[in-house]
Amino acid sequence: MRILLTNDDGIHAPGFTVLEEIARELADDIWVVAPAEEQSGAGHSLTLTQPLRLRQLGEQRFSVTGTPTDAVMMGINLVMKDNPPDLLLSGVNRGANLAEDVTYSGTVSAAMEGALAGVPSIALSQTYPREAMGDEVPFAAARHWGRRVLEPLLKYDFPARTLINVNFPARTAEAVKGIRTVGQGMRDYGRLQIIENKDPRGYPYYWFGLGPMVGTAEHSTDLEAIADGYIAVSPLHLDMTHHGSLEALGQVFG
Ligand code: MN
């Protein structure tokens, strides 16, 4: 089995080392094509206005000066053109990608890009207990449980244009209660904090921060599974049509 690894925290991120360790428990043929720098929050963005640089850092190991989507495109269509991956793994992200996070997430978007290309794709994220932990985020739950989550998924038949989103709870490996398959939740809006400060010349600048989770997790969602101490495994798809609205919308136009 040939696995393509990528992420959005950048090729040098601690969580990427964790992903490589997990992947090497599953297969020998590991390829790395990952962003050179952190791209958290890049979503599914694609670089069209500037050139990309591909740097070879080792055998089957490349960085791309672009977004996670750029890295996957370069990986599948250039680096691995003659030997396409059987599986794409993205992560392990430093921080949760739950609920509406998936629409901002570079980690999940890399898996979306893989799914569009027809490659079974899985995003992995490690929830952590508090903001401002820097690189101190404990990846113990992801490291210990990664193989146990991924191995059954190797036998799973991915429907077209779907991907799997995995989140590990902020707990020690021993304290993780198990694995739950759940749908995507939705938080109350308003988690964003806009921090204002002054630059050295006295001009204001702004930096987005994320406040703690607001609202109670809905039943059977990824938010609830994580809150209860379980690993959340969610099937996502790229057809964003809201089928329930089609008829009413049609009536608007007669
Ligand atoms: Mn990230």
Side-chain angles (χ1 to χ4, degrees), residues 7-10 38-42 92-97 105-107 125:
N7 75 345
D8 82 351
D9 293 335
E38 176 165 357
Q39 298 286 329
S40 292
V92 177
N93 189 58
R94 184 187 60 226
N97 277 309
S105 169
T107 305
S125 302

Side-chain angles (χ1 to χ4, degrees), residues 49-60:
T49 54
Q50 50 187 359
L52 303 171
R53 299 285 179 184
L54 179 72
R55 295 195 186 104
Q56 182 154 17
L57 306 176
E59 204 190 332
Q60 302 188 180

Side-chain angles (χ1 to χ4, degrees), residues 2 16 51 62 75 81 85 88 105 126 137 159 163 185 189 191 207 221 227:
R2 192 176 298 128
F16 198 57
F62 299 82
K81 195 169 176 250
L88 180 150
S105 169
Q126 173 67 64
V137 172
L163 57 140
Y189 194 70
R191 214 162 53 106
W207 208 314
T221 63

Side-chain angles (χ1 to χ4, degrees), residues 72-234:
V72 172
M73 284 188 165
M74 295 283 280
I76 293 174
N77 299 295
L78 185 77
V79 176
M80 301 180 74
K81 195 169 176 250
D82 300 322
N83 40 6
D86 303 304
L87 177 70
L88 180 150
L89 300 177
S90 176
V92 177
N93 189 58
R94 184 187 60 226
N97 277 309
L98 299 161
E100 71 282 356
D101 292 343
V102 301
T103 65
Y104 303 103
S105 169
T107 305
V108 175
S109 295
M112 287 181 183
E113 191 57 34
L116 286 173
V119 179
S121 297
I122 303 168
L124 303 107
S125 302
Q126 173 67 64
T127 307
Y128 60 90
R130 58 183 190 280
E131 294 297 311
M133 291 187 73
D135 277 345
E136 303 306 307
V137 172
F139 283 93
R143 180 66 191 87
H144 183 84
W145 285 80
R147 182 182 185 161
R148 288 177 67 174
V149 172
L150 292 178
E151 240 167 11
L153 289 176
L154 301 182
K155 290 170 233 137
Y156 172 70
D157 192 13
F158 284 67
R161 288 175 287 281
T162 69
L163 57 140
I164 304 286
N165 186 31
V166 177
N167 279 271
F168 299 92
R171 291 180 169 222
T172 61
E174 301 72 39
V176 173
K177 287 196 191 157
I179 302 166
R180 269 196 204 161
T181 52
V182 283
Q184 180 200 324
M186 205 52 94
R187 296 188 187 87
D188 296 338
Y189 194 70
R191 214 162 53 106
L192 183 71
Q193 298 168 338
I194 301 181
I195 314 292
E196 180 179 338
N197 219 320
K198 290 267 193 296
D199 75 12
R201 297 167 68 209
Y203 294 102
Y205 67 84
Y206 303 88
W207 208 314
F208 291 150
L210 293 174
M213 196 198 294
V214 184
T216 310
E218 233 180 301
H219 198 54
S220 297
T221 63
D222 51 4
L223 294 171
E224 186 195 56
I226 288 295
D228 290 350
Y230 288 83
I231 295 163
V233 178
S234 303

